[in-house]
Amino acid sequence: MTHATSVPHARPAADRDRALVLWFDQVGIADLPLVGGKNASLGEMIRQLTAKGVRVPNGFATTAFAYRSFIQESGLEAKLRDIFATLDVDNGESLRRCGQKARNLILHAEFPMNLQEEITRAYQALCSQYGADVDVAVRSSATAEDLPDASFAGQQETYLNVHGMAAVLEACKRCFASIFTDRAISYRQIKGFDHFEVALSVGVQKMVRSDMDSSGVIFTLDTETGFRDVVLVTAAYGLGENVVQGAVNPDEYVVFKPTLAQGKRPILSKRLGTKEIKMIYAPGSTKPTKNVPVAVADRNRYAIGDDDIVQLARWAVIIEDHYSEVRGVPTPMDIEWAKDGQTGDLFIVQARPETVQSQRSGNVLQNYVITLPPEQRPPVVITGRSVGEKVGRGRARVILDVHRIDEFEAGEVLVTNRTDPDWEPIMKKASAIVTNQGGRTCHAAIIAREMGIPAIVGAGNATSAVETGQMLTVSCCEGDEGKVYAGEVPFEIKETRLDNLPRPKTQILMNVGNPEEAFSLASLPCDGVGLARLEFIIANHIQVHPMALIQYDKLEDKSVRKQVSELTHLYKTNRPQYYVEKLAQGVGTIVAAFYPKPVIVRMSDFKTNEYANLLGGRQFEPVEENPMIGWRGASRYYDPKFRAAFALECQALKRVRDDMGLTNVIPMIPFCRTPEEGMRVLEVMAENGLKRGENGLQVYVMCELPSNVIAGDAFSEVFDGFSIGSNDLTQLTLGLDRDSALVAHLFDERCTAVKRMVSMAIKTAKANGRKIGICGQAPSDYPEFAQFLVQEGIDSISLNPDSVLKTLLAIADIETETVP
């Protein structure tokens, strides 16, 4: 396939203003008034980015001048103005009536002969380049779209697999008429655009045969949090309309920009979508395309490979960098891509500025918080992908047919199969939206974000799980998984201004366990992560005991074996790699969120009873009378019964450091009883590619046992730093089990014995030139304990996210009072 035209179509500037047709390589980003947002962007990429390797299919555009000439020569303007003089955009019947009349006027008018001739000549030239009756996509491109603060996504029509001159002309006219779709009229009214100031250009572009392969959408930021350092790629089989419209739940891949630029392959996460259907060509049919089911085997694998993911991410960064340079401000992008099944080539088929997160103020942090503790909340009736990080409440309105949208009342929760652009006239009235289908880059998600409405997409069974009239709370503020609660759940909105915050000398770090919250937490003012726990990733993302993967063939319980097989179906030839990849992705996401700040990752610290609860765990775990002080932490890592499992953790961190390029990760060893035990652990780590000192690798140790304090000088010779675990240090100093209700009242980090241990640990670390921080709960709970730590000269305090701001301010005040 030829990738783009190789013949420039030079035309004097005066001619361009009155041209009826312009080739993509004749226009650029400054020509939005001539050919609309889509076509100007396609031309910009062909002209400026082809040399950088970005492939864009060739084509041409009718101009805004052509549209206006058609309207004037056909005598339509006065008739259209009469129609819109009676429009009440908030009245569904009035909107439908006016829209239908306006479209009919255009569809029944004849194209001027000179416009027909120009389109015919251009299409014939395209056929000369690609072959007779070449298949093209015919897309609407309005002069008020793809703006930085208004996407106009999906407002006008697109026609795919159009071939033959008559069909191209007909599709062009239908695109002209679609400037007056109900949704376009409503959207313009909301955004304050004059219906008669907007003109329509039509792009005619060679089709990419993604019907035989895959396609999707790319955003050059995280769509939910606005985190700028990642590229989000979605992919599904077939033509891209299903992904854009939300008809399928696509795969999602997240790539980290900073180390991508260093030549690494930093795929932070891969999420398998269901991809139930695909849109393909429909030869011999009255319609040019059709949807067909996707084979189960294809649904259960990723639509594209890692090489394609990385290539698309690199192109996305090139596009974003170019648009940012041209516009003079950082410009995150919303991009559509397609892979040709005949050639295997990737193409970019559209690019526009992202319109939601890029407009958010960076100076105000707004958090929605459910105020009821989890155990007091009503049942969760639906889950899906969260969109918007907000909370909405209202009575459900289940609507399956767009023709029934008049039933919807303001403040209700819209529950439907999917929300394509035809639903937009009521979307602005919704308190929240829940759909069965779609991923977080689908059209419905984009518009919901733009309108500031929380949405949950890809819920699967939403329309059958709730009934119209049922009170719902739609929560998108609890991470990647959105939750719909039955009834009204109280919540609050916390706003914090981030400008002019003090930055204390004591480093303020954060405790992070859930990778799905990492990008959101990265906006908090902190100096890195003092404790990233592996346990959440293992329990929630992996779910399987590592030895059950290593010894899969020896699993005794058939039911367990079946569950493990289902979870690891993508890794049949190497099931332990499931553990390595999932762990690397979870850790990598947290480490990337705070890059290049240090992120201290504590290696696994499950106790035997906790490991036993993992899938397959009971076969490999002993029963201990007191697991709290039993076989945990460092003592497992070199033990023959667990050494192979610890090797998987090491491989995961090596992948984070080497493949992803995230060298800001610092592994930390928990519950290390003696310096000699520490050296044995370091030997195992080195055997698995994590050699202390190599490529800047530091290794810390938890300071949570009295032996860590008393022999602190010896531990300083083995490790590069310490992190005080005040919970374990308190219980082991006082000789109590904090899980026992009988003695729990004695647990207090502020007691003299514990404070003396902490003071001794800090002094010893300092004397030996080692960093020391604390990652326990005490400084979050007790301001006086934070003051004590600062006075003792601790290097860093790591806090739970909800305590960061208040403790930061408190420590800044303490330093002002106590530190010279």
Side-chain angles (χ1 to χ4, degrees):
M1 174 183 286
T2 306
H3 298 149
T5 180
S6 57
V7 181
H9 298 86
R11 186 191 287 260
D15 289 351
R16 292 170 78 251
D17 292 340
R18 298 184 64 80
L20 299 175
V21 169
L22 292 170
W23 286 85
F24 288 157
D25 68 355
Q26 293 177 286
V27 297
I29 195 171
D31 293 317
L32 189 147
L34 285 180
V35 292
K38 287 189 186 71
N39 293 333
S41 184
L42 289 169
E44 182 74 14
M45 290 189 291
I46 285 178
R47 292 170 64 176
Q48 304 296 334
L49 302 182
T50 299
K52 296 184 179 182
V54 178
R55 285 192 291 264
V56 180
N58 194 24
F60 62 89
T62 67
T63 64
F65 176 75
Y67 169 80
R68 291 191 171 105
S69 297
F70 164 61
I71 295 296
Q72 290 170 3
E73 291 180 30
S74 302
L76 297 180
E77 183 170 351
K79 296 176 182 177
L80 288 168
R81 287 189 179 276
D82 287 344
I83 290 171
F84 282 97
T86 66
L87 172 66
D88 177 1
V89 77
D90 293 319
N91 181 302
E93 180 56 36
S94 172
L95 178 61
R96 277 195 297 273
R97 184 176 62 253
C98 290
Q100 186 64 57
K101 286 182 178 179
R103 293 192 297 274
N104 283 339
L105 277 177
I106 292 175
L107 289 172
H108 289 94
E110 291 293 327
F111 269 170
M113 187 55 64
N114 59 347
L115 178 56
Q116 288 192 47
E117 291 172 352
E118 287 283 322
I119 295 173
T120 299
R121 274 195 292 270
Y123 179 68
Q124 287 172 345
L126 209 57
C127 291
S128 298
Q129 184 177 352
Y130 291 109
D133 280 348
V134 61
D135 49 337
V136 293
V138 181
R139 290 189 172 93
S140 308
S141 178
T143 57
E145 71 174 3
D146 298 348
L147 303 173
D149 58 352
S151 69
F152 281 79
Q155 298 308 312
Q156 286 85 37
E157 299 295 349
T158 291
Y159 299 94
L160 304 178
N161 187 22
V162 179
H163 49 85
M165 195 62 252
V168 169
L169 287 168
E170 176 66 18
C172 287
K173 186 186 289 187
R174 288 187 175 277
C175 284
F176 277 8
S178 73
I179 197 169
F180 295 118
T181 59
D182 298 354
R183 57 187 183 258
I185 296 168
S186 174
Y187 190 89
R188 283 195 296 271
Q189 198 91 352
I190 292 169
K191 291 294 182 178
F193 285 86
D194 186 315
H195 299 296
F196 296 96
E197 289 298 315
V198 178
L200 195 122
S201 166
V202 178
V204 179
Q205 183 181 37
K206 171 67 181 81
M207 284 286 293
V208 176
R209 293 303 303 269
S210 60
D211 61 305
M212 303 168 68
D213 204 292
S214 53
S215 59
V217 175
I218 307 170
F219 280 87
T220 60
L221 46 56
D222 180 64
T223 54
E224 303 317 309
T225 65
F227 183 68
R228 295 288 183 93
D229 281 346
V230 292
V231 175
L232 171 66
V233 179
T234 66
Y237 299 113
L239 301 175
E241 290 301 296
N242 281 341
V243 177
V244 173
Q245 294 174 3
V248 295
N249 302 332
D251 298 338
E252 292 185 3
Y253 320 107
V254 177
V255 184
F256 187 56
K257 292 179 193 173
T259 55
L260 180 72
Q262 299 168 14
K264 300 295 184 180
R265 295 167 61 85
I267 301 174
L268 298 180
S269 68
K270 296 165 68 175
R271 179 190 291 267
L272 193 69
T274 53
K275 308 182 297 289
E276 299 98 334
I277 58 173
K278 63 179 177 180
M279 184 179 290
I280 62 172
Y281 283 13
S285 170
T286 56
K287 294 184 177 180
T289 62
K290 63 180 179 180
N291 275 316
V292 297
V294 174
V296 173
D298 289 335
R299 290 174 56 184
N300 290 330
R301 65 178 179 86
Y302 294 115
I304 55 176
D306 288 0
D307 289 346
D308 286 344
I309 296 168
V310 171
Q311 180 63 72
L312 289 169
R314 292 190 194 285
W315 282 358
V317 171
I318 290 171
I319 293 168
E320 179 183 51
D321 287 348
H322 177 75
Y323 277 73
S324 298
E325 182 180 355
V326 169
R327 297 184 64 237
V329 292
T331 304
M333 298 296 290
D334 169 358
I335 301 164
E336 293 178 31
W337 66 272
K339 184 173 183 178
D340 196 296
Q342 293 179 324
T343 66
D345 289 334
L346 293 167
F347 291 87
I348 300 298
V349 295
Q350 279 192 47
R352 61 180 72 87
E354 190 272 346
T355 58
V356 180
Q357 295 294 349
S358 55
Q359 302 300 306
R360 289 205 322 186
S361 168
N363 293 327
V364 178
L365 184 68
Q366 188 180 72
N367 288 322
Y368 282 66
V369 180
I370 299 290
T371 54
L372 278 182
E375 65 274 10
Q376 295 180 20
R377 296 174 192 174
V380 174
V381 292
I382 307 165
T383 61
R385 302 304 310 280
S386 64
V387 174
E389 292 194 301
K390 295 183 178 181
V391 178
R393 288 188 306 215
R395 296 200 176 276
R397 175 71 63 176
V398 180
I399 304 179
L400 297 177
D401 185 346
V402 71
H403 296 103
R404 293 177 53 200
I405 62 175
D406 282 348
E407 300 173 10
F408 190 82
E409 296 182 11
E412 292 181 325
V413 175
L414 174 61
V415 183
T416 187
N417 198 40
R418 62 184 175 94
T419 54
D420 62 31
D422 288 329
W423 296 76
E424 285 174 28
I426 64 165
M427 287 174 70
K428 64 181 182 292
K429 303 176 183 178
S431 61
I433 297 167
V434 183
T435 69
N436 292 338
Q437 299 175 351
R440 58 180 175 145
T441 61
C442 71
H443 174 268
I446 293 171
I447 298 302
R449 288 188 203 99
E450 193 169 307
M451 292 183 174
I453 302 165
I456 293 177
V457 298
N461 65 337
T463 53
S464 58
V466 301
E467 296 180 356
T468 292
Q470 182 179 354
M471 179 59 71
L472 301 175
T473 299
V474 178
S475 170
C476 296
C477 70
E478 300 176 70
D480 207 35
E481 182 180 66
K483 299 175 182 178
V484 179
Y485 295 97
E488 291 189 65
V489 180
F491 67 93
E492 62 183 17
I493 306 170
K494 297 181 178 179
E495 286 195 351
T496 305
R497 292 201 64 83
L498 300 180
D499 45 0
N500 300 321
L501 280 177
R503 297 309 294 260
K505 295 177 183 177
T506 307
Q507 283 194 322
I508 302 300
L509 306 177
M510 198 161 13
N511 300 333
V512 181
N514 183 355
E516 295 173 357
E517 297 177 347
F519 294 158
S520 177
L521 295 175
S523 61
L524 289 170
C526 71
D527 299 300
V529 174
L531 178 64
R533 307 176 184 89
L534 296 193
E535 290 77 33
F536 183 92
I537 301 169
I538 294 169
N540 292 277
H541 292 244
I542 297 174
Q543 303 176 35
V544 185
H545 193 289
M547 294 306 299
L549 296 166
I550 293 167
Q551 298 187 25
Y552 171 77
D553 292 335
K554 297 180 181 178
L555 288 176
E556 298 163 358
D557 188 319
K558 292 182 179 178
S559 171
V560 166
R561 184 166 175 157
K562 182 174 183 293
Q563 292 178 71
V564 173
S565 175
E566 290 171 352
L567 277 173
T568 61
H569 68 273
L570 292 174
Y571 304 83
K572 291 179 182 177
T573 58
N574 189 352
R575 295 188 194 273
Q577 281 304 302
Y578 165 80
Y579 195 91
V580 173
E581 186 163 300
K582 291 289 186 184
L583 195 57
Q585 290 175 3
V587 171
T589 298
I590 295 173
V591 177
F594 295 87
Y595 181 89
K597 299 171 184 175
V599 176
I600 301 170
V601 174
R602 188 180 70 187
M603 307 304 273
S604 63
D605 194 26
F606 278 135
K607 294 167 274 295
T608 50
N609 58 323
E610 294 167 336
Y611 259 123
N613 288 330
L614 294 174
L615 197 55
R618 301 200 182 281
Q619 183 175 329
F620 300 98
E621 294 295 327
V623 176
E624 295 185 287
E625 289 297 324
N626 192 346
M628 183 71 76
I629 54 173
W631 193 41
R632 60 178 283 202
S635 61
R636 299 180 75 100
Y637 301 160
Y638 56 87
D639 191 303
K641 295 187 293 296
F642 194 80
R643 187 172 181 139
F646 181 63
L648 300 183
E649 293 182 35
C650 294
Q651 290 170 34
L653 259 69
K654 178 175 170 58
R655 186 174 292 189
V656 170
R657 287 178 57 83
D658 295 353
D659 295 355
M660 298 180 185
L662 297 168
T663 53
N664 57 317
V665 64
I666 301 173
M668 180 165 66
I669 308 305
F671 226 78
C672 185
R673 293 174 168 94
T674 68
E676 293 75 21
E677 187 171 54
M679 288 187 283
R680 296 184 71 177
V681 171
L682 291 180
E683 288 174 5
V684 178
M685 292 177 69
E687 290 171 6
N688 288 281
L690 293 177
K691 186 175 182 180
R692 180 183 168 219
E694 198 170 90
N695 193 21
L697 177 64
Q698 293 185 318
V699 183
Y700 282 15
V701 65
M702 287 291 293
C703 182
E704 55 191 339
L705 303 162
S707 63
N708 300 142
V709 178
I710 296 165
D713 52 350
F715 277 99
S716 293
E717 296 178 9
V718 180
F719 296 102
D720 299 290
F722 298 85
S723 183
I724 298 169
S726 57
N727 291 342
D728 273 349
L729 186 60
T730 299
Q731 71 170 342
L732 293 169
T733 297
L734 298 179
L736 59 83
D737 181 351
R738 69 175 188 265
D739 291 340
S740 170
L742 298 174
V743 293
H745 64 282
L746 295 171
F747 185 93
D748 191 339
E749 302 96 323
R750 296 168 295 175
C751 75
T752 301
V754 175
K755 290 176 73 174
R756 285 182 179 175
M757 292 292 271
V758 170
S759 179
M760 188 189 308
I762 294 172
K763 286 181 172 61
T764 304
K766 293 286 191 181
N768 286 276
R770 294 293 184 241
K771 291 281 188 180
I772 185 163
I774 188 169
C775 58
Q777 183 66 26
S780 297
D781 291 343
Y782 308 118
E784 66 270 28
F785 196 83
Q787 181 173 0
F788 159 71
L789 293 169
V790 172
Q791 290 170 338
E792 291 296 313
I794 200 161
D795 292 311
S796 63
I797 297 176
S798 193
L799 305 154
N800 292 334
D802 59 357
S803 304
V804 166
L805 289 171
K806 69 175 184 181
T807 310
L808 180 151
L809 295 170
I811 289 173
D813 289 342
I814 291 166
E815 288 183 351
T816 301
E817 296 169 4
T818 63
V819 178

